Amino acid sequence: MELSNCQRCGANVSQPCPIRVLLVEDNRSDYLLLRQLLSQIEGQAYKLEWVKTFEEALEAIGEDRHEVTLLDYRLGERTGIELLKTLGAGGHGPILFITGQGDHEVDMQAMEAGAADYLDKSRLDGSTLERVIRYALERQRLLATLQVMATHDDLTGLFNRREFNRLTQEELERHVRYERPFSLLILDVDHFKEVNDTFGHAAGDAVLKHIATLLRQTVRHLDRPARLGGDEFAVLLPEATTNMAFRTAERLREAMDDDGLEFLSASGVASTIRFTVSIGVANCPADADTLDGALHAADTALYEAKRQSRNRTVCFTPISLA
């Protein structure tokens, strides 16, 4: 039997993995109809879970066990429109709205509330259902790809500057609401131009990717590392005091100081590239209470680390501005 990689999960299988479908429907006859239609689709298996109530649907969708949801308009005394509005945008797979009413106004309400498509039960068959599910999943995949491209740096895979600023602004708003601190690190590679001049730009890119790997390995799961541009990186540390951020920065700096990069050039020449980083630390609310202020404070501390002969961590102090 010939095996191939499943396009959705990447597993080596003889047939595509079943698509996990959640049906939110309070009518057993309609459940049996949709189960039959899914079972008749050739070339793709479907694993169907059925829930009947608004509350069960919220729980099932929240657990993110399904790739696509079929949502009926009538859910007892409540409606699928209410459920869509309660769920809000994002955080779940595509939701396909199904109804026996064939009402244009309901169609528009479903789309405005976030439904990926609208299906009329009276006109539904296996071929239509298969096509709509397939198109919805492909749109979801493309949107996810575009989202990553818009928010992540191409070279390193870290967040880009725009997304880092957005995440930091969100954390600032959270601080204002709940009075929780957070810290920022800004770091760059000492004498990075010499790496490019000595070993070439391919080696420089390898160093940047290596730094990204070390960042992911060293910071906490909830921290948000980013590449701001060139050889400049940043880390957002939610719930972190200045002392906590300083200790994280020192772990990063020491890891990079101890960890040379083995690089093989296109011509086959092997080199060990040694590099260090300088890091500036700032805290909100101790050092600033705005996005620009926090970034400026961390950048000022970084400049001070550079002034103090590099390969060091410096925390922002007002005297740094002198």
Side-chain angles (χ1 to χ4, degrees):
M1 180 182 296
E2 184 177 351
L3 298 179
S4 60
N5 289 334
C6 174
Q7 292 184 356
R8 291 176 15 258
C9 73
N12 204 301
V13 293
S14 58
Q15 295 181 349
C17 298
I19 293 175
R20 301 182 303 278
V21 179
L22 174 67
L23 173 62
V24 184
E25 169 65 71
D26 63 357
N27 185 297
R28 179 174 175 79
S29 296
D30 287 338
Y31 155 66
L32 294 174
L33 170 63
L34 285 158
R35 187 180 70 173
Q36 180 182 15
L37 291 177
L38 288 172
S39 70
Q40 293 172 350
I41 297 173
E42 297 182 0
Q44 174 63 64
Y46 294 84
K47 184 177 180 180
L48 181 63
E49 179 180 349
W50 176 36
V51 298
K52 304 176 185 179
T53 69
F54 188 99
E55 291 73 19
E56 288 175 327
L58 276 179
E59 181 179 355
I61 295 172
E63 291 176 356
D64 198 26
R65 300 193 305 266
H66 313 90
E67 295 166 80
V68 62
T69 297
L70 303 175
L71 174 61
D72 189 28
Y73 177 69
R74 291 294 178 192
L75 297 174
E77 296 181 357
R78 308 187 74 171
T79 69
I81 299 291
E82 290 180 67
L83 182 63
L84 283 169
K85 291 179 178 179
T86 301
L87 289 169
H92 49 72
I95 296 179
L96 307 176
F97 204 74
I98 52 176
T99 180
Q101 295 184 244
D103 188 317
H104 177 70
E105 183 177 345
V106 172
D107 181 357
M108 296 305 298
Q109 288 177 0
M111 294 300 150
E112 291 171 359
D117 210 333
Y118 176 91
L119 298 168
D120 185 342
K121 291 179 187 177
S122 65
R123 302 177 182 178
L124 195 57
D125 56 33
S127 175
T128 301
L129 185 58
E130 184 275 334
R131 178 184 58 78
V132 170
I133 290 176
R134 176 163 45 86
Y135 277 38
L137 289 173
E138 181 61 16
R139 283 196 300 270
Q140 183 87 354
R141 186 190 68 80
L142 290 174
L143 286 172
T145 299
L146 290 173
Q147 177 70 9
V148 170
M149 292 173 63
T151 58
H152 288 69
D153 172 60
D154 287 342
L155 179 66
T156 64
L158 300 178
F159 290 119
N160 59 25
R161 178 185 288 272
R162 178 182 295 177
E163 183 65 6
F164 181 78
N165 286 350
R166 188 189 70 79
L167 292 169
T168 304
Q169 182 62 43
E170 280 189 355
E171 195 62 30
L172 181 64
E173 292 168 4
R174 182 170 171 270
H175 158 69
V176 171
R177 189 177 302 115
Y178 302 111
E179 298 185 353
R180 305 302 299 172
F182 69 90
S183 293
L184 297 179
L185 309 181
I186 294 184
L187 58 145
D188 68 14
V189 185
D190 298 325
H191 305 296
F192 184 65
K193 184 176 183 299
E194 293 181 9
V195 174
N196 283 327
D197 291 345
T198 303
F199 301 101
H201 288 281
D205 286 349
V207 167
L208 297 177
K209 289 191 282 188
H210 189 60
I211 289 173
T213 298
L214 290 174
L215 281 169
R216 293 189 189 96
Q217 292 173 348
T218 305
V219 301
R220 302 169 303 173
H221 178 70
L222 73 159
D223 296 334
R224 297 291 180 260
R227 182 188 179 203
L228 301 185
D231 64 321
E232 188 174 44
F233 295 81
V235 184
L236 168 64
L237 300 97
E239 303 282 335
T241 63
T242 300
N243 286 339
M244 292 168 60
F246 179 80
R247 291 196 296 269
T248 299
E250 279 294 275
R251 287 199 303 272
L252 282 169
R253 187 189 62 78
E254 290 170 1
M256 295 179 192
D257 191 16
D258 294 340
D259 191 58
L261 175 65
E262 301 299 322
F263 177 74
L264 186 67
S265 70
S267 59
V269 177
S271 305
T272 300
I273 304 174
R274 310 293 307 187
F275 61 92
T276 62
V277 297
S278 298
I279 307 177
V281 180
N283 177 265
C284 177
D287 303 321
D289 57 5
T290 66
L291 173 61
D292 289 343
L295 292 170
H296 178 69
D299 202 49
T300 299
L302 171 63
Y303 178 81
E304 182 63 18
K306 292 286 191 182
R307 192 185 69 81
Q308 295 180 20
S309 72
R310 298 178 169 83
N311 189 20
R312 64 183 60 234
T313 300
V314 171
C315 296
F316 175 83
T317 57
I319 198 170
S320 301
L321 296 173

